[in-house]
Amino acid sequence: MAPSFSWWSNKDTHRGTPVVVKMENPNWSMVELEGPSEEDFLISESQGRVRGKNAKQFTWVLLLKAHRAAGCLTSLGSAMLGLASAIRRRVASGRTDTDTDVEPIGRGRAVENPAVRSRFYFCIKMFLWLSLILLGFEVAAYFKGWHFGSPHLQLEYLWASPMGVKGVFDWVYSKWVLIRVEYLAPPLQFLTSACIVLFMIQSLDRLILCLGCFWIRFKKIKPVPKEGAFDPESGETGYFPMVLVQIPMCNEKEVYQQSIAAVCNLDWPKSKLLIQILDDSDDPTTQFLIKEDVHKWQQEGANILYRHRVIRDGYKAGNLKSAMNCSYVKDYEFVAIFDADFQPTPDFLKRTVPHFKDNDDLGLVQARWSFVNKDENLLTRLQNINLSFHFEVEQQVNSVFINFFGFNGTAGVWRIQALEEAGGWLERTTVEDMDIAVRAHLHGWKFIFLNDVECQCELPESYEAYRKQQHRWHSGPMQLFRLCLPDIVKSKISIGKKFNLIFLFFLLRKLILPFYSFTLFCIILPMTMFIPEAELPAWVVCYIPATMSFLNILPAPKAFPFIVPYLLFENTMSVTKFNAMISGLFQLGSAYEWVVTKKSGRSSEGDLASLVEKEPKHQRGVSVPDLVEMKEEIRQQEQRASRKKKHNRIYTKELALAFLLLTASARSLLSAQGIHFYFLLFQGISFLLVGLDLIGEQVE
């Protein structure tokens, strides 16, 4: 061990700074340093001399402090340079969202009309240029002494005689202020007040939902199934009706193994369980891999079938509708549906199906989702906050108090009779799950949500995948609202249920929420910086959103440190949600866009390559040379996939709004509006990060 030396004061009291130096031949290194205390620099009048360290020791302290400061500055500078370099590389390799992705026909993707897509961006861009011009105008006026804010506006100065005007600029600016006061501020203030009212109504709805969730927890309200009779086949006491399990999938070779394995391991009598693998893949390699996996489970005794449609119309709804038309479906009483990335636990059916016993008006039992990659990156953490609130608060409260909520499309068990009475699966919207739930509710069927039954799945890890998923989830409800409104009005359900469907379920939570969120924080707030006569109160900008974010984060308490990023990101996502809502409401080009959410397969324990290495099992109608050729094709495809490069996608609308908000924040400095400035600044930075695609994983 290297020798160490220390300098200490000879006196009993501590004077000076202890320094421990460790010598490691041939170099010296400082390993411990205590900063100088105030006593070290005090002058003792009684002794008439300086009570401090000697000159050599004081020089050591100063040198070490300077070395430490220089090291911090150097590391900070290198970190900033590294961050800038990473941003530059990711931006250079990025593509804008105006680029057209060329995909083979039949992949199940509807390409958005470029003219329709560019309209929204054009409006934002024009607003940005206008704000930049106004900012320059306001800065010039500020340095000329025109410090006008709405509380201290001196109109009598503006109505002064022409002799009071000292120049052309002063005259132009005075006219601009008068136009603001007379023509622009009143309609903007009216729109601001309307959005505040909508904001308060939505906040009240959110608060009532949270109180309902608290009441459920306090009273420990929980659906309890009834006991069943003894089943001789399983040797257990329970309720074991005929159950059909469906797994619709489309080109999802990253996750098919885990879902098939999970449903084949469901603890249910085999004679009363049939599994349908509904494969809509148009990739021959993916089809082959799924067929091989299904055949493997058939050899192991699972009652499983593989179905592939020749005519692939209607996306997921068309796939489910085709499967329900099979003749053998009439022998089954219930159907459980799982997406390709979902992994139900073996006891899933035992914990869900018994709720149907002696409950003839129950049409759906929905389980909660849990996420295997919720801590993968910032994007997945923020999604987990949103979905935790959706399931634990929205779904659970609506289930307990009104027996209705939107079907989540997966991890649920339907009574087949309820599906048939509601009209079956329809391909008229991109939210077929919500569509069938609304129609079943109009026919009097009740729903149950089980918060304690979880089914694992994946969250989108890239912003590109999440953005497209949210577009579909927010455009579809508006399509459905237009189609279902006449049926809701004419239905025989009670007035209260009609009010809940029209006002709460559709208008408030699907239309008003994205509308006011985008309009209030992305349009009105920046405009009030340039038209200060229309005021947006500080409590609307800061306190209420913070309170609502706090309520949203309660179901996921571990995510509490992310409350500020969550608030900013939700406002950032309002652009996508508002655009989707408008597209669905007015049936614009992107309203029927359907993109299968990209999966990473992180939770899959299977290795796709192992399927290729296995000895092929001879099947009827498949020759050995065909399998060899298919293996070679799989190998080549994997090689091509390994050569794919990941890139960023640059989102022009988000970037335009980022610069707009940053411009408005600069304007707010002139009015010394602290809360507004900080909100606009951080919200602009949030838009900038999202616009540069720096929040999630890169896409291939």
Side-chain angles (χ1 to χ4, degrees), residues 552-573:
N552 281 13
I553 216 167
L554 286 179
K558 292 183 179 179
F560 187 78
F562 301 95
I563 185 170
V564 174
Y566 170 73
L567 170 61
L568 298 174
F569 181 69
E570 280 301 291
N571 290 333
T572 305
M573 281 303 299

Side-chain angles (χ1 to χ4, degrees), residues 233-234 236 240 243-247 258-277 297 301-304 335-338 342-353 411-413 453-455:
E233 181 178 348
S234 62
E236 300 179 18
F240 299 98
V243 177
L244 177 67
V245 177
Q246 296 177 333
I247 306 181
Q258 61 195 38
S259 59
I260 294 177
V263 297
C264 287
N265 284 288
L266 288 172
D267 188 7
W268 200 257
K270 291 185 178 181
S271 63
K272 298 182 179 181
L273 180 69
L274 175 64
I275 302 169
Q276 287 181 319
I277 305 301
W297 284 103
N303 192 11
I304 183 172
V335 55
I337 302 172
F338 302 99
F342 278 71
Q343 305 168 68
T345 56
D347 63 346
F348 181 88
L349 293 180
K350 287 186 174 180
R351 300 178 67 184
T352 54
V353 175
V413 182
V453 179
E454 297 184 356
C455 191

Side-chain angles (χ1 to χ4, degrees), residues 202 205-206 390 394-395 398 404-407 431 434 438 473-481 500-516 577-578 580-582 585:
Q202 197 274 335
D205 174 64
R206 186 76 36 114
H390 168 69
E394 291 181 337
Q395 298 291 74
N398 288 324
F404 168 73
F405 50 85
F407 175 45
V431 284
M434 186 182 295
V438 170
W473 284 5
H474 286 81
S475 65
M478 291 299 97
Q479 303 170 33
L480 182 61
F481 178 64
N500 173 71
L501 267 178
I502 296 175
F503 182 74
L504 295 180
F505 186 75
F506 279 114
L507 291 181
L508 184 59
R509 297 167 189 165
K510 303 296 189 298
L511 189 148
I512 291 177
L513 177 58
F515 171 78
Y516 90 75
K577 296 175 181 179
F578 178 82
M581 182 265 293
I582 294 297
L585 193 62

Side-chain angles (χ1 to χ4, degrees), residues 385-401:
I385 296 173
N386 249 345
L387 291 171
S388 295
F389 181 86
H390 168 69
F391 285 109
E392 186 157 345
V393 180
E394 291 181 337
Q395 298 291 74
Q396 185 174 210
V397 170
N398 288 324
S399 169
V400 170
F401 292 103

Side-chain angles (χ1 to χ4, degrees), residues 58 60 67-68 89 179 325 352 405 412 525 549 589 624 662:
F58 185 67
W60 268 102
H67 182 269
R68 178 179 295 179
R89 287 197 306 270
I179 292 173
N325 289 332
T352 54
F405 50 85
L525 180 57
S549 298
V624 175
L662 292 175

Side-chain angles (χ1 to χ4, degrees), residues 490-552:
K490 297 176 184 177
S491 65
K492 298 180 181 180
I493 60 176
S494 65
I495 299 296
K497 291 183 177 180
K498 289 181 181 180
F499 175 82
N500 173 71
L501 267 178
I502 296 175
F503 182 74
L504 295 180
F505 186 75
F506 279 114
L507 291 181
L508 184 59
R509 297 167 189 165
K510 303 296 189 298
L511 189 148
I512 291 177
L513 177 58
F515 171 78
Y516 90 75
S517 182
F518 172 75
T519 306
L520 190 62
F521 297 111
C522 300
I523 300 297
I524 293 178
L525 180 57
M527 288 184 67
T528 55
M529 297 299 101
F530 298 102
I531 308 176
E533 294 76 20
E535 291 187 84
L536 188 62
W539 59 269
V540 176
V541 177
C542 180
Y543 304 118
I544 297 297
T547 304
M548 292 301 103
S549 298
F550 178 77
L551 293 177
N552 281 13

Side-chain angles (χ1 to χ4, degrees), residues 223-226 351-357 359 362 365 448 450:
V224 179
K226 294 185 179 180
R351 300 178 67 184
T352 54
V353 175
H355 289 274
F356 289 98
K357 180 176 173 56
N359 201 354
L362 181 61
V365 174
I448 284 180
L450 302 178

